[in-house]
Amino acid sequence: MKKIIALISCAVFIIACNNEKPAGEATLTESITATPAEPAPVEFADARYTDIGKVGFEALASGDVDKWMSSFADNAVYIWNNGDSAAGKPAISAYWKKRRAEDIDSIKFSNVIWLPIKVSKTQANEPPGVWLLSWYMVNVKYKTGKSMVQWMHMATHFDATDKIDQVVHYLDRAPVLAATKK
């Protein structure tokens, strides 16, 4: 019985080691290094976009809205998932300066996940180009004395000059409203 099991094991090993491939089938290495006829619909973007995001979060957390806004284009649009928006760099800056001065005592970002991607072929109506996707835990202490902690997601688009021209910010408004209620 042991000889039969050993013989079967050897046969399986020999068959598994057979490196022949069917005609026309590329190896994994050939598939990875092959030059595609057209660009992939989505691919990883340069890590410098992650650095822009990190600097922006640090500036916003420290209360330096002007430094954060330096990475925005003049025609930028900031959209919240509830349908609210601010259009233009001055409007976005005014919103965040007011929030920091009147509502937010401190804000901390943690457990941040960054994913810079380049979209060549759009899926719906999003603009092609570089997007920085981020997921993070935010801990906000409000001037009311209340705090709010929740996961948020942000999709940030960059224009051809590497300035932010669109932000889509996803959050749950209920904890924000509860913490800001006086």
Side-chain angles (χ1 to χ4, degrees), residues 61-93:
S62 72
D64 191 348
V65 175
D66 289 330
K67 182 176 181 180
W68 182 50
M69 293 305 302
S70 69
S71 62
F72 280 73
D74 290 338
N75 65 342
V77 178
Y78 199 105
I79 304 163
W80 287 268
N81 60 301
N82 68 347
D84 288 344
S85 64
K89 188 174 180 176
I92 299 166
S93 180

Side-chain angles (χ1 to χ4, degrees), residues 42-64:
V42 178
E43 58 189 296
F44 291 113
D46 193 290
R48 74 176 181 265
Y49 297 101
T50 298
D51 295 336
I52 294 169
K54 288 178 181 178
V55 168
F57 273 22
E58 290 169 7
L60 190 57
S62 72
D64 191 348

Side-chain angles (χ1 to χ4, degrees), residues 9-18:
S9 296
C10 283
V12 169
F13 179 76
I14 290 169
I15 292 169
C17 289
N18 183 356

Side-chain angles (χ1 to χ4, degrees), residues 21 31 33 41 43 47 66 83 90 123 134 137 158 178:
K21 61 180 179 171
S31 296
T33 58
E43 58 189 296
D66 289 330
Q123 304 296 310
S134 57
M137 179 70 67
F158 292 84

Side-chain angles (χ1 to χ4, degrees), residues 111-131:
N111 302 322
V112 184
I113 300 168
W114 301 101
L115 179 60
I117 61 171
K118 180 180 177 187
V119 177
S120 299
K121 184 177 180 185
T122 62
Q123 304 296 310
N125 62 352
E126 75 278 0
V130 175
W131 286 87

Side-chain angles (χ1 to χ4, degrees), residues 110-171:
S110 62
N111 302 322
V112 184
I113 300 168
W114 301 101
L115 179 60
I117 61 171
K118 180 180 177 187
V119 177
S120 299
K121 184 177 180 185
T122 62
Q123 304 296 310
N125 62 352
E126 75 278 0
V130 175
W131 286 87
L132 177 61
L133 307 178
S134 57
W135 297 264
Y136 51 92
M137 179 70 67
V138 65
N139 186 325
V140 182
K141 182 178 176 204
Y142 291 96
K143 300 213 185 256
T144 61
K146 298 176 186 175
S147 295
M148 181 273 311
V149 178
Q150 70 169 297
W151 278 99
M152 292 187 181
H153 168 59
M154 192 178 292
T156 305
H157 184 264
F158 292 84
D159 67 14
T161 65
D162 288 345
K163 292 289 187 179
I164 297 169
D165 64 355
Q166 182 178 340
V167 174
V168 184
H169 194 164
Y170 300 90
L171 65 137

